[in-house]
Coordinates of all heavy atoms in Angstrom, one line a residue:
Chain B
M160 N 0.9 -1.2 -0.1 CA 0.0 0.0 0.0 C 0.8 1.2 -0.1 O 1.2 1.8 1.0 CB -1.0 0.0 1.2 CG -2.2 0.7 1.0 SD -3.0 1.0 2.5 CE -3.6 -0.7 2.9
T186 N -12.4 3.5 6.8 CA -12.8 2.3 6.0 C -13.8 2.7 5.0 O -14.8 3.4 5.5 CB -13.3 1.1 6.8 OG1 -14.3 1.5 7.8 CG2 -12.2 0.5 7.6
H208 N -8.7 2.0 3.9 CA -8.8 0.6 3.5 C -10.1 0.5 3.0 O -11.1 0.8 3.7 CB -8.5 -0.3 4.6 CG -8.3 -1.6 4.3 ND1 -9.2 -2.7 4.5 CD2 -7.3 -2.3 3.7 CE1 -8.8 -3.8 4.0 NE2 -7.6 -3.6 3.6
G209 N -10.3 0.1 1.6 CA -11.6 0.0 1.1 C -11.8 -1.2 0.3 O -11.0 -2.0 -0.1
Y210 N -13.2 -1.4 0.0 CA -13.6 -2.5 -0.8 C -14.7 -1.9 -1.7 O -15.3 -1.0 -1.4 CB -14.4 -3.6 0.0 CG -13.5 -4.2 1.1 CD1 -13.3 -3.7 2.2 CD2 -12.9 -5.5 0.6 CE1 -12.4 -4.5 3.2 CE2 -12.0 -6.2 1.6 CZ -11.8 -5.6 2.9 OH -11.0 -6.2 3.7
D216 N -18.2 -7.7 -15.3 CA -16.9 -8.4 -15.5 C -15.6 -7.7 -15.8 O -14.6 -7.8 -15.2 CB -17.1 -9.6 -16.5 CG -17.9 -10.7 -16.1 OD1 -18.2 -10.9 -14.9 OD2 -18.5 -11.3 -17.1
V219 N -14.5 -5.5 -12.8 CA -13.9 -6.3 -11.8 C -12.4 -6.6 -12.2 O -11.5 -6.6 -11.3 CB -14.7 -7.8 -11.5 CG1 -13.8 -8.7 -10.7 CG2 -16.1 -7.3 -11.0
L220 N -12.1 -7.1 -13.5 CA -10.9 -7.2 -13.9 C -10.1 -6.1 -13.8 O -8.8 -6.0 -13.3 CB -10.9 -7.7 -15.5 CG -9.5 -7.9 -16.0 CD1 -8.7 -9.0 -15.2 CD2 -9.7 -8.3 -17.4
V223 N -8.9 -5.7 -10.3 CA -7.8 -6.5 -9.9 C -6.6 -5.9 -10.4 O -5.4 -6.0 -9.8 CB -8.1 -8.0 -10.5 CG1 -6.8 -8.9 -10.3 CG2 -9.3 -8.6 -9.8
K224 N -6.5 -5.4 -11.8 CA -5.3 -4.9 -12.4 C -4.9 -3.6 -11.4 O -3.7 -3.4 -11.4 CB -5.6 -4.4 -13.7 CG -5.7 -5.5 -14.8 CD -5.8 -5.1 -16.1 CE -5.9 -6.3 -17.1 NZ -6.2 -5.9 -18.4
N225 N -6.0 -3.0 -11.0 CA -5.5 -1.7 -10.3 C -5.1 -2.1 -8.7 O -4.9 -1.1 -7.9 CB -6.6 -0.7 -10.2 CG -6.7 0.2 -11.5 OD1 -5.6 0.5 -12.0 ND2 -8.0 0.4 -12.0
G226 N -5.1 -3.4 -8.4 CA -4.8 -3.8 -7.1 C -5.8 -3.3 -6.0 O -5.5 -3.1 -4.8
V227 N -7.0 -3.4 -6.3 CA -8.1 -2.8 -5.5 C -9.0 -3.9 -5.0 O -9.3 -4.8 -5.8 CB -9.0 -1.7 -6.3 CG1 -10.3 -1.4 -5.5 CG2 -8.1 -0.5 -6.5
N228 N -9.4 -3.9 -3.8 CA -10.2 -4.9 -3.3 C -11.7 -4.8 -3.9 O -12.3 -3.7 -3.9 CB -10.4 -4.8 -1.8 CG -9.2 -5.1 -1.0 OD1 -8.5 -6.0 -1.4 ND2 -9.0 -4.2 0.1
V229 N -12.1 -6.0 -4.6 CA -13.4 -5.7 -5.2 C -14.2 -7.1 -4.9 O -13.7 -8.2 -4.8 CB -13.2 -5.6 -6.7 CG1 -12.6 -6.7 -7.4 CG2 -14.7 -5.3 -7.3
I230 N -15.5 -6.9 -4.8 CA -16.4 -8.1 -4.5 C -17.5 -8.0 -5.7 O -18.3 -7.1 -5.7 CB -17.0 -8.1 -3.2 CG1 -15.9 -8.1 -2.1 CG2 -18.0 -9.1 -3.0 CD1 -16.3 -7.9 -0.6
Q231 N -17.5 -9.0 -6.5 CA -18.4 -9.0 -7.6 C -19.7 -9.4 -7.1 O -20.0 -10.6 -6.5 CB -17.9 -10.0 -8.7 CG -18.9 -9.9 -9.9 CD -18.3 -10.5 -11.2 OE1 -17.4 -11.4 -11.2 NE2 -18.6 -10.0 -12.4
R236 N -29.4 -6.6 -5.0 CA -29.7 -7.6 -4.1 C -29.3 -7.3 -2.7 O -29.4 -7.9 -1.7 CB -28.9 -8.9 -4.5 CG -29.3 -9.7 -5.7 CD -29.0 -11.1 -5.8 NE -27.6 -11.3 -5.5 CZ -27.0 -12.1 -6.2 NH1 -27.4 -12.8 -7.2 NH2 -25.6 -12.2 -5.9
A239 N -26.4 -7.7 2.0 CA -26.6 -8.8 2.9 C -25.4 -9.3 3.6 O -25.4 -9.7 4.7 CB -27.5 -10.0 2.4
G240 N -24.3 -9.3 2.7 CA -23.0 -9.8 3.2 C -22.3 -8.9 4.2 O -21.2 -9.3 4.6
F241 N -22.8 -7.8 4.5 CA -22.1 -6.8 5.3 C -22.8 -6.6 6.5 O -24.1 -6.2 6.5 CB -21.8 -5.5 4.5 CG -21.0 -5.8 3.3 CD1 -21.6 -6.1 2.0 CD2 -19.7 -5.6 3.4 CE1 -20.8 -6.2 0.9 CE2 -18.8 -5.8 2.3 CZ -19.4 -6.2 1.1
E242 N -22.1 -6.6 7.7 CA -22.7 -6.3 8.9 C -23.0 -4.7 9.1 O -22.5 -3.9 8.4 CB -21.7 -6.7 10.1 CG -21.2 -8.1 10.1 CD -22.4 -9.0 10.3 OE1 -23.2 -8.6 11.2 OE2 -22.4 -10.3 10.0
S245 N -20.4 -1.5 9.7 CA -19.0 -2.2 9.5 C -18.1 -1.1 8.7 O -17.0 -1.7 8.5 CB -19.1 -3.6 8.8 OG -20.0 -3.6 7.7
F246 N -18.5 -0.1 8.1 CA -17.7 0.8 7.4 C -17.9 2.2 7.9 O -19.0 2.6 8.2 CB -18.0 0.7 5.8 CG -17.4 -0.5 5.2 CD1 -18.2 -1.7 5.3 CD2 -16.2 -0.5 4.7 CE1 -17.7 -2.8 4.6 CE2 -15.6 -1.7 4.1 CZ -16.3 -2.8 4.1
Chain W
K566 N -2.9 -11.6 0.7 CA -3.9 -11.0 -0.1 C -4.6 -12.1 -0.9 O -3.8 -13.0 -1.5 CB -3.2 -10.0 -1.0 CG -2.5 -8.9 -0.3 CD -2.0 -7.9 -1.3 CE -1.3 -6.8 -0.5 NZ -1.4 -5.5 -1.2
L568 N -7.2 -13.8 -3.8 CA -8.0 -13.7 -5.1 C -9.0 -15.0 -4.9 O -8.5 -16.2 -4.9 CB -7.3 -13.9 -6.3 CG -8.0 -13.9 -7.7 CD1 -8.8 -12.6 -7.8 CD2 -7.2 -14.1 -8.8
R584 N -18.6 -16.7 -1.3 CA -18.8 -15.5 -0.5 C -18.7 -15.5 0.9 O -18.4 -14.6 1.7 CB -20.3 -15.1 -0.9 CG -20.3 -14.6 -2.4 CD -21.8 -13.7 -2.5 NE -22.8 -14.6 -2.5 CZ -23.5 -15.1 -3.5 NH1 -23.0 -14.8 -4.8 NH2 -24.5 -15.8 -3.5
V587 N -15.2 -14.9 1.4 CA -14.9 -13.4 1.2 C -15.4 -12.6 2.4 O -14.8 -11.6 2.8 CB -15.6 -13.0 -0.1 CG1 -15.5 -11.5 -0.4 CG2 -14.9 -13.7 -1.2
K588 N -16.5 -12.9 2.9 CA -17.1 -12.1 4.0 C -16.2 -12.2 5.3 O -15.9 -11.2 5.9 CB -18.5 -12.6 4.4 CG -19.2 -12.0 5.6 CD -20.7 -12.4 5.7 CE -21.4 -11.7 6.6 NZ -21.2 -11.9 8.0
L590 N -12.8 -12.8 5.1 CA -11.6 -12.0 4.9 C -12.0 -10.5 5.2 O -11.2 -9.8 5.7 CB -11.3 -12.3 3.6 CG -10.8 -13.7 3.4 CD1 -10.5 -14.1 1.9 CD2 -9.5 -14.0 4.2
Q591 N -13.1 -10.0 4.5 CA -13.6 -8.7 4.7 C -13.7 -8.2 6.0 O -13.3 -7.2 6.4 CB -14.8 -8.5 3.8 CG -15.3 -7.1 3.7 CD -16.3 -6.8 4.7 OE1 -16.1 -5.9 5.5 NE2 -17.3 -7.6 4.9
E592 N -14.3 -9.1 6.9 CA -14.5 -8.8 8.3 C -13.2 -8.6 9.0 O -13.1 -8.0 10.0 CB -15.4 -9.7 8.9 CG -16.8 -9.5 8.6 CD -17.9 -10.5 8.9 OE1 -17.3 -11.5 9.5 OE2 -19.0 -10.4 8.7
N593 N -12.1 -9.3 8.5 CA -10.8 -9.1 9.1 C -10.0 -8.0 8.3 O -8.7 -7.9 8.6 CB -10.1 -10.5 9.0 CG -10.5 -11.4 10.0 OD1 -10.4 -11.2 11.2 ND2 -11.1 -12.4 9.6
R594 N -10.6 -7.2 7.5 CA -10.0 -6.2 6.7 C -8.8 -6.9 6.0 O -7.8 -6.1 5.7 CB -9.6 -5.1 7.6 CG -10.6 -4.5 8.4 CD -11.6 -3.7 7.5 NE -12.6 -3.0 8.3 CZ -13.8 -3.0 7.7 NH1 -14.3 -3.6 6.7 NH2 -14.9 -2.3 8.6
R595 N -8.9 -8.1 5.4 CA -7.8 -8.6 4.6 C -8.2 -8.1 3.1 O -9.3 -7.9 2.8 CB -7.8 -10.1 4.7 CG -7.6 -10.7 6.1 CD -6.0 -10.8 6.3 NE -5.3 -9.6 6.2 CZ -5.1 -8.8 7.2 NH1 -5.6 -9.0 8.3 NH2 -4.4 -7.7 7.1
D596 N -7.1 -8.1 2.4 CA -7.2 -7.5 1.0 C -7.7 -8.8 0.2 O -7.3 -9.8 0.4 CB -5.9 -7.2 0.3 CG -5.5 -5.8 0.9 OD1 -6.4 -5.0 1.0 OD2 -4.3 -5.5 1.1
V597 N -8.9 -8.5 -0.6 CA -9.5 -9.8 -1.3 C -10.2 -9.1 -2.5 O -10.8 -8.1 -2.6 CB -10.5 -10.5 -0.3 CG1 -11.5 -9.7 0.2 CG2 -11.1 -11.6 -1.2
A598 N -10.0 -9.9 -3.7 CA -10.7 -9.7 -4.8 C -11.5 -10.8 -5.1 O -11.1 -12.1 -5.1 CB -9.8 -9.3 -6.0
Y599 N -12.9 -10.7 -5.2 CA -13.8 -11.9 -5.5 C -14.5 -11.7 -6.9 O -15.1 -10.7 -7.1 CB -14.8 -11.9 -4.4 CG -15.9 -12.9 -4.7 CD1 -15.6 -14.3 -4.9 CD2 -17.2 -12.6 -4.8 CE1 -16.5 -15.1 -5.1 CE2 -18.3 -13.4 -5.1 CZ -17.9 -14.8 -5.3 OH -18.8 -15.7 -5.5
A600 N -14.4 -12.6 -7.6 CA -15.1 -12.6 -8.9 C -16.0 -13.9 -9.0 O -15.6 -15.0 -8.7 CB -14.1 -12.6 -10.1
E601 N -17.1 -13.7 -9.7 CA -18.1 -14.7 -9.8 C -18.3 -14.9 -11.4 O -18.9 -14.0 -12.1 CB -19.5 -14.3 -9.2 CG -20.2 -15.4 -8.6 CD -21.3 -14.8 -7.8 OE1 -21.1 -14.5 -6.7 OE2 -22.5 -14.7 -8.2
I602 N -17.8 -16.1 -11.9 CA -17.7 -16.1 -13.4 C -18.9 -16.9 -13.9 O -19.3 -17.9 -13.4 CB -16.5 -17.0 -13.8 CG1 -15.1 -16.4 -13.2 CG2 -16.3 -17.0 -15.3 CD1 -14.6 -15.1 -13.9
R617 N -12.4 -14.9 -19.0 CA -12.5 -14.0 -18.0 C -11.7 -14.5 -16.7 O -11.0 -13.6 -16.0 CB -14.0 -13.8 -17.6 CG -14.8 -13.1 -18.7 CD -16.2 -13.4 -18.6 NE -16.5 -14.8 -18.7 CZ -17.7 -15.5 -18.7 NH1 -18.7 -14.7 -18.4 NH2 -17.9 -16.7 -18.8
A620 N -8.0 -14.3 -17.3 CA -7.4 -12.8 -17.3 C -7.4 -12.3 -15.9 O -6.5 -11.6 -15.5 CB -8.4 -12.0 -18.0
L621 N -8.2 -12.8 -15.0 CA -8.0 -12.4 -13.6 C -7.0 -12.9 -12.9 O -6.2 -12.2 -12.2 CB -9.5 -12.8 -12.8 CG -10.7 -12.1 -13.1 CD1 -11.9 -12.9 -12.7 CD2 -10.8 -10.7 -12.3
S624 N -3.7 -11.2 -14.3 CA -3.6 -9.8 -13.7 C -3.1 -10.0 -12.2 O -2.3 -9.1 -11.9 CB -4.9 -9.0 -13.8 OG -5.3 -9.0 -15.1
F625 N -3.8 -10.8 -11.5 CA -3.4 -10.9 -10.1 C -1.9 -11.4 -10.0 O -1.1 -10.7 -9.2 CB -4.3 -12.1 -9.5 CG -4.1 -12.0 -8.0 CD1 -4.7 -11.0 -7.3 CD2 -3.6 -13.1 -7.3 CE1 -4.6 -11.0 -5.9 CE2 -3.5 -13.2 -5.9 CZ -4.1 -12.1 -5.1
N628 N 0.6 -8.4 -10.9 CA 0.7 -7.5 -9.7 C 1.6 -8.2 -8.6 O 2.5 -7.5 -8.1 CB -0.5 -7.1 -9.1 CG -1.3 -6.0 -9.9 OD1 -0.8 -5.5 -10.7 ND2 -2.6 -6.0 -9.5

Side-chain angles (χ1 to χ4, degrees):
Chain B
M160 207 192 288
T186 56
H208 195 256
Y210 297 84
D216 287 337
V219 170
L220 176 60
V223 171
K224 285 185 177 167
N225 283 320
V227 164
N228 295 323
V229 64
I230 298 169
Q231 189 163 25
R236 293 199 308 222
F241 296 90
E242 300 292 330
S245 53
F246 284 88
Chain W
K566 296 180 183 214
L568 174 64
R584 284 198 292 265
V587 171
K588 181 171 190 285
L590 294 170
Q591 182 268 121
E592 284 171 355
N593 283 296
R594 302 291 183 222
R595 296 274 62 86
D596 284 326
V597 55
Y599 169 62
E601 216 166 277
I602 308 288
R617 292 160 298 178
L621 286 162
S624 298
F625 194 69
N628 281 349

